[in-house]
Amino acid sequence: SSGINAEWPLRPGSDREYKASVDITEDLTNLILQQNQDVTQLDKAKMVEQKKTTKLARDGQYKAEFDDIGKDEPDSFKRVLETATERGSYLWLSALPLKDLGFVLNKVEFQDAIALRYNWSIKGTPKQCECGVKNDLDHLLICKKGGYIIMRHNDLRDAEAELMKEAGGRNVTVEPSLIPTRGDHLKAQTTKGYQARLDVAATGIWNKFERTFFDIRVTHPNAPSNKSKDLKKLYKSHENQKKRLYEERIIENEKGTFCPLVFSTTGGVGEMCERHHKRVAELISLKRKENYADVMKYIRTKLRFTLLRSLM
């Protein structure tokens, strides 16, 4: 498949694609042959159903090809395939280079982004990290020295706040302080710090007068402690950790709701983060009267570029 998603004419399945094209356009072909310009005679429901059938067959073939690629490969390669095909992780590759939206990478950044995608070593990387550990790509993405992890986190925090404002969220606040509490009535694991604060808070995202608090975490799925973990379970564990720390305090003291936003360095997101983005996309599409799918793609692409730039 090329950059415009055109099928290679000689690849397996081309006969199936040709037959599907003939079936889908059969009624239109007949009208053309009859020199009939009355397109109301087209059976649109039939065409839609044939398109769905073709897509299911194509997706099934791609899934079988994908499974076949990695079945005899080492676990590290299977992990790369898994992270590279997460929803939204690949959108930066097909995005139009729109500078106003920040959808632009220079030559070096693009090469580094490809290396990150396939877990390849990046040219020019020092062999020894400043923290004294042997350097590689996985260590680069988890090393706490230099403040890059905080920068990565803050860039995503600011991007999420911007999206909530675009969606019409009211009183969008970055790093809102929580109401002080002695914590006598809270569970032991719940954070009780007097100056505790979360990443973003906004009113009107889920309900008109409901205030929702968000806290962001970025995890690296190829870190030594994460390599053997299933991706969905990895995201879920981080969501649960955040909930144990903040959810009860938000509900009891703030009378609001809490939503952990978990990202991976490879571009994937947790279930609650995905649900939140769908809600924001719905609000933006209604506000701007734009197609929901286009807005959802814009959100995923914006956050993917934000994460990429913060990793390089």
Side-chain angles (χ1 to χ4, degrees):
S1 177
S2 70
I4 58 172
N5 200 29
E7 286 283 342
W8 176 40
L10 300 180
R11 73 170 290 159
S14 57
D15 291 340
R16 183 202 65 233
E17 295 292 328
Y18 173 73
K19 184 180 183 305
S21 178
V22 171
D23 292 341
I24 292 170
T25 59
E26 181 181 9
D27 291 347
L28 179 60
T29 302
N30 290 334
L31 286 180
I32 293 172
L33 291 173
Q34 296 166 13
Q35 296 294 292
N36 188 342
Q37 298 182 18
D38 185 8
V39 293
T40 59
Q41 295 182 25
L42 292 174
D43 188 345
K44 294 184 178 179
K46 176 185 173 184
M47 295 174 70
V48 169
E49 189 60 34
Q50 286 174 327
K51 286 181 179 179
K52 287 182 179 178
T53 302
T54 302
K55 185 178 185 302
L56 285 173
R58 184 190 300 122
D59 290 347
Q61 180 187 330
Y62 288 162
K63 178 69 167 58
E65 291 178 1
F66 178 80
D67 292 341
D68 189 58
I69 289 172
K71 69 178 181 180
D72 297 323
E73 299 294 336
D75 290 342
S76 58
F77 182 79
K78 292 177 182 178
R79 186 66 157 189
V80 168
L81 288 179
E82 187 180 15
T83 56
T85 53
E86 283 191 276
R87 180 175 293 172
S89 65
Y90 44 80
L91 286 175
W92 64 276
L93 286 164
S94 58
L96 292 173
L98 303 174
K99 192 172 183 179
D100 290 345
L101 296 178
F103 297 174
V104 178
L105 298 174
N106 63 37
K107 181 179 178 180
V108 175
E109 289 172 337
F110 184 84
Q111 291 172 342
D112 289 350
I114 291 292
L116 288 169
R117 176 173 170 79
Y118 296 111
N119 207 36
W120 295 338
S121 59
I122 296 177
K123 292 180 180 179
T125 302
K127 293 183 179 180
Q128 197 79 8
C129 181
E130 285 292 324
C131 68
V133 176
K134 184 180 178 182
N135 219 356
D136 58 20
L137 181 59
D138 292 331
H139 178 73
L140 282 172
L141 295 176
I142 62 174
C143 183
K144 297 180 180 180
K145 194 173 182 66
Y148 293 106
I149 287 180
I150 295 174
M151 291 167 60
R152 178 172 70 201
H153 169 277
N154 291 349
D155 285 349
L156 282 172
R157 176 201 64 195
D158 295 343
E160 288 285 359
E162 288 175 13
L163 287 170
M164 290 182 219
K165 289 177 182 177
E166 287 185 53
R170 304 188 308 280
N171 193 20
V172 178
T173 310
V174 172
E175 292 193 352
S177 298
L178 300 183
I179 297 172
T181 178
R182 289 189 304 173
D184 296 343
H185 59 295
L186 300 177
K187 294 177 183 177
Q189 289 182 313
T190 302
T191 185
K192 304 174 183 67
Y194 183 80
Q195 295 182 328
R197 58 181 68 224
L198 295 181
D199 288 321
V200 186
T203 303
I205 299 298
W206 288 100
N207 291 305
K208 189 173 183 180
F209 299 108
E210 182 180 82
R211 190 147 180 82
T212 307
F213 292 78
F214 304 86
D215 206 54
I216 292 168
R217 175 169 290 177
V218 185
T219 184
H220 180 46
N222 293 321
S225 58
N226 294 333
K227 279 184 178 180
S228 61
K229 295 180 181 177
D230 176 78
L231 281 179
K232 289 184 179 180
K233 291 180 180 179
L234 176 63
Y235 294 135
K236 195 68 178 177
S237 68
H238 285 294
E239 289 176 348
N240 290 337
Q241 286 175 22
K242 289 288 187 183
K243 284 182 178 181
R244 285 194 292 270
L245 286 172
Y246 299 111
E247 188 170 52
E248 188 182 22
R249 180 169 176 174
I250 296 298
I251 293 173
E252 295 293 333
N253 283 29
E254 306 288 339
K255 304 304 178 186
T257 55
F258 175 65
C259 179
L261 303 178
V262 180
F263 296 81
S264 76
T265 55
T266 51
V269 298
E271 181 183 354
M272 296 195 72
C273 189
E274 179 72 4
R275 196 182 306 165
H276 167 66
H277 291 158
K278 287 180 178 179
R279 176 58 177 167
V280 170
E282 180 184 5
L283 293 174
I284 293 176
S285 65
L286 291 171
K287 182 180 177 182
R288 296 180 180 174
K289 297 182 179 179
E290 295 179 1
N291 181 269
Y292 167 82
D294 292 337
V295 176
M296 192 68 212
K297 185 176 181 180
Y298 156 72
I299 290 173
R300 287 173 175 153
T301 305
K302 177 184 174 72
L303 293 170
R304 189 68 187 102
F305 271 99
T306 299
L307 184 58
L308 272 177
R309 284 193 297 271
S310 68
L311 291 172
M312 293 183 279

